[in-house]
Amino acid sequence: GESVGLHLPTLSVQEGDNSIINCAYSNSASDYFIWYKQESGKGPQFIIDIRSNMDKRQGQRVTVLLNKTVKHLSLQIAATQPGDSAVYLCAENLENTGNQFYFGTGTSLTVIP
Amino acid sequence: NAGVTQTPKFRILKIGQSMTLQCTQDMNHNYMYWYRQDPGMGLKLIYYSVGAGITDKGEVPNGYNVSRSTTEDFPLRLELAAPSQTSVYFCASRQTTRGLGYTFGSGTRLTVV
């Protein structure tokens, strides 16, 4: 999962396998979460979001799970493809207490063909 | 629809020089942000703006200045560049509601030597 520090967590998976990327968020009161995908040399791009009144949300090949009890967020990618290789960032936000999202350090996913 | 446009993409500065990183968005977003991203670290907020004429400091504002004279533009000014400002800088914008989070620019890679 993500952590603060100089070494980016890494995950390597075989093409076609499922990937699970984890994130421990910091504020138990955060009520909105987003997963971003950041390809090399590019800005982060929105993948999927979830609000705190949900435990699970599914998109196309991606699922986000939220466990508020342990402040844990995960991103599941089904049938991982080489194009999924990137850094994945989780972000948290608390409505009405600030205007910014807070980001984790990211997890680097490498898909092995 | 160009989204968020940042210029330049790359820049090398000498210690003590100054420069302005440009950011323009064409989505009529009120909220705009400047982040820096260092290797193995999460995105750190430098400055943000909730509308034209309004700016506020983020987590790491020292050594930077911003202005917001129009909704579209949010330039970041570096005065007296220092090696510690070597980083990748991302501009982002979002709509007033939180849904879908930020739209990011492609980044400016700055090296101070």
Side-chain angles (χ1 to χ4, degrees):
Chain A
E2 298 187 14
S3 61
V4 176
L6 298 177
H7 300 287
L8 201 63
T10 60
L11 176 66
S12 296
V13 299
Q14 291 286 338
E15 181 178 358
D17 287 350
N18 297 333
S19 302
I20 300 176
I21 299 169
N22 298 303
C23 172
Y25 63 91
S26 59
N27 188 345
S28 59
S30 292
D31 63 352
Y32 182 53
F33 306 87
I34 295 178
W35 277 102
Y36 288 89
K37 175 185 181 183
Q38 186 176 18
E39 295 176 282
S40 181
K42 297 184 179 180
Q45 288 186 296
F46 174 94
I47 302 173
I48 191 168
D49 61 355
I50 189 167
R51 298 189 184 275
S52 60
N53 60 354
M54 304 172 68
D55 297 322
K56 178 180 179 179
R57 188 157 190 232
Q58 288 184 291
Q60 188 174 14
R61 278 201 311 119
V62 294
T63 300
V64 56
L65 299 177
L66 176 62
N67 185 331
K68 294 181 288 292
T69 302
V70 294
K71 295 190 294 183
H72 185 267
L73 200 66
S74 69
L75 177 70
Q76 300 177 0
I77 305 173
T80 312
Q81 302 169 359
D84 294 326
S85 293
V87 172
Y88 289 82
L89 303 167
C90 67
E92 61 183 292
N93 178 262
L94 174 58
E95 190 171 21
N96 298 327
T97 62
N99 295 294
Q100 65 169 304
F101 283 78
Y102 294 88
F103 290 83
T105 55
T107 295
S108 178
L109 174 66
T110 299
V111 181
I112 304 166
Chain B
N1 189 340
V4 179
T5 302
Q6 289 184 240
T7 57
K9 292 189 182 301
F10 304 94
R11 184 71 185 269
I12 298 174
L13 278 182
K14 293 184 178 179
I15 295 172
Q17 288 185 322
S18 301
M19 76 165 293
T20 299
L21 282 67
Q22 301 291 345
C23 176
T24 300
Q25 54 93 8
D26 62 359
M27 298 170 285
N28 201 34
H29 286 171
N30 284 325
Y31 290 64
M32 296 189 74
Y33 304 81
W34 274 105
Y35 283 88
R36 58 178 288 171
Q37 186 177 41
D38 300 314
M41 304 294 288
L43 290 155
K44 301 295 184 184
L45 182 66
I46 305 171
Y47 271 96
Y48 68 97
S49 170
V50 299
I54 306 169
T55 62
D56 210 343
K57 296 178 180 179
E59 188 178 357
V60 291
N62 292 341
Y64 308 94
N65 277 300
V66 294
S67 59
R68 186 92 182 273
S69 57
T70 67
T71 299
E72 295 78 18
D73 299 310
F74 190 41
L76 178 71
R77 178 79 177 166
L78 278 71
E79 304 283 0
L80 299 175
S84 61
Q85 294 178 304
T86 294
S87 189
V88 180
Y89 291 84
F90 287 101
C91 179
S93 71
R94 71 172 178 92
Q95 55 193 359
T96 305
T97 58
R98 300 181 295 172
L100 303 183
Y102 298 146
T103 299
F104 282 90
S106 57
T108 295
R109 183 174 295 274
L110 175 68
T111 302
V112 182
V113 297

